[in-house]
Amino acid sequence: QVQLQQWGAGLLQPSETLSLTCTVNGGSFSGYYGGWIRQPPGKGLEWIGEINDSGTTNYNPSLKSRVIISVDMSKNQVSLKLSSVTAADTAVYYCARGGLRWFSNWGQGTLVTVSS
Amino acid sequence: DIQMTQSPSSLSASVGDSVTITCRTSQSISRFLNWYRQRPGKAPELLIFSTSNLQSGIPSRFSGSGSGTDFTLTISSLQPEDFAIYSCQQSYSVPWTFGQGTKVEIK
């Protein structure tokens, strides 16, 4: 059974860089997109961006200037970096695997809090 | 960006009831519409992709329909595990966007 496991720092100060990594157990990112989605407390889901196994990326224009998503196929890992974070970036961040158009497998989520 | 509007925002129902959730988009998206269930404290789970295709392992009590700008998710006989938040997602154009969610609560 495919499971996504994610990790990274949960508490950041304003202006720092958020860094999260996600790995697939029981499967691979080969032939799939690896994406990141976030959910602010009590709010809906927001798509951040995604990458395929060739390294082609799509980003949400609202975050594009601050986001880098990368893939390491040798480790079966996808990573997210979001720079210059503010309190507005406080959210649960999810990694996900899927086809181009939907997300069929999700990580457990990481609560990232931005506070001074 | 394509705006997604779900209705209702919340509803109360009993085990065994049939419920319908609606998702409306700000422009036509053909049938590029997906549905997710999110149980409390858990990650979203894909239920239906491309309007009406049931994801593997999802019970047949879930069904979806629609096209263009109006879509529905129907749960034919609510089970205890279905009390959750349901979100639609358009996959017609980037950036992919989600509805604000519909909370299904126990009556």
Side-chain angles (χ1 to χ4, degrees):
Chain A
Q1 184 177 355
V2 173
Q3 289 189 327
L4 275 62
Q5 183 179 359
Q6 57 182 100
W7 65 91
L11 180 61
L12 296 174
Q13 295 194 345
S15 80
E16 291 187 326
T17 295
L18 179 158
S19 181
L20 297 173
T21 301
C22 173
T23 191
V24 180
N25 297 314
S28 170
F29 279 112
S30 179
Y32 292 90
Y33 272 77
W36 293 91
I37 300 101
R38 71 181 183 179
Q39 186 170 36
K43 296 188 177 181
L45 298 160
E46 180 182 29
W47 176 73
I48 298 170
E50 62 196 10
I51 189 168
N52 68 8
D53 55 2
S54 298
T56 300
T57 54
N58 292 311
Y59 295 131
N60 192 322
S62 67
L63 298 168
K64 187 174 183 177
S65 64
R66 299 193 290 131
V67 173
I68 298 175
I69 295 175
S70 58
V71 64
D72 185 335
M73 293 303 296
S74 67
K75 295 182 179 179
N76 241 351
Q77 290 178 355
V78 172
S79 297
L80 169 69
K81 292 189 184 300
L82 179 67
S83 62
S84 305
V85 297
T86 70
D89 296 310
T90 293
V92 176
Y93 286 74
Y94 295 100
C95 66
R97 188 188 79 157
L100 175 59
R101 298 184 181 274
W102 55 80
F103 310 103
S104 49
N105 305 99
W106 293 66
Q108 78 275 20
T110 301
L111 174 61
V112 176
T113 302
V114 181
S115 175
S116 56
Chain B
D1 298 4
I2 296 175
Q3 306 304 312
M4 314 288 289
T5 304
Q6 287 183 234
S7 60
S9 296
S10 65
L11 64 90
S12 296
S14 301
V15 172
D17 284 352
S18 176
V19 300
T20 296
I21 298 167
T22 298
C23 181
R24 178 164 290 174
T25 59
S26 60
Q27 66 183 74
S28 177
I29 61 168
S30 184
R31 291 174 59 84
F32 293 104
L33 192 284
N34 313 308
W35 289 98
Y36 299 85
R37 174 178 63 183
Q38 188 172 19
R39 295 169 182 164
K42 300 296 186 182
E45 174 186 22
L46 178 66
L47 299 174
I48 288 173
F49 60 94
S50 298
T51 296
S52 59
N53 295 280
L54 207 60
Q55 171 69 353
S56 176
I58 299 302
S60 60
R61 64 179 179 272
F62 292 93
S63 62
S65 64
S67 67
T69 61
D70 294 294
F71 301 86
T72 60
L73 171 71
T74 298
I75 311 172
S76 61
S77 178
L78 274 173
Q79 298 301 301
E81 61 267 30
D82 299 333
F83 292 95
I85 295 175
Y86 293 82
S87 299
C88 55
Q89 175 234 332
Q90 65 82 17
S91 52
Y92 179 79
S93 66
V94 171
W96 314 134
T97 47
F98 293 84
Q100 82 280 11
T102 294
K103 187 174 184 179
V104 176
E105 298 177 297
I106 299 175
K107 183 183 289 183

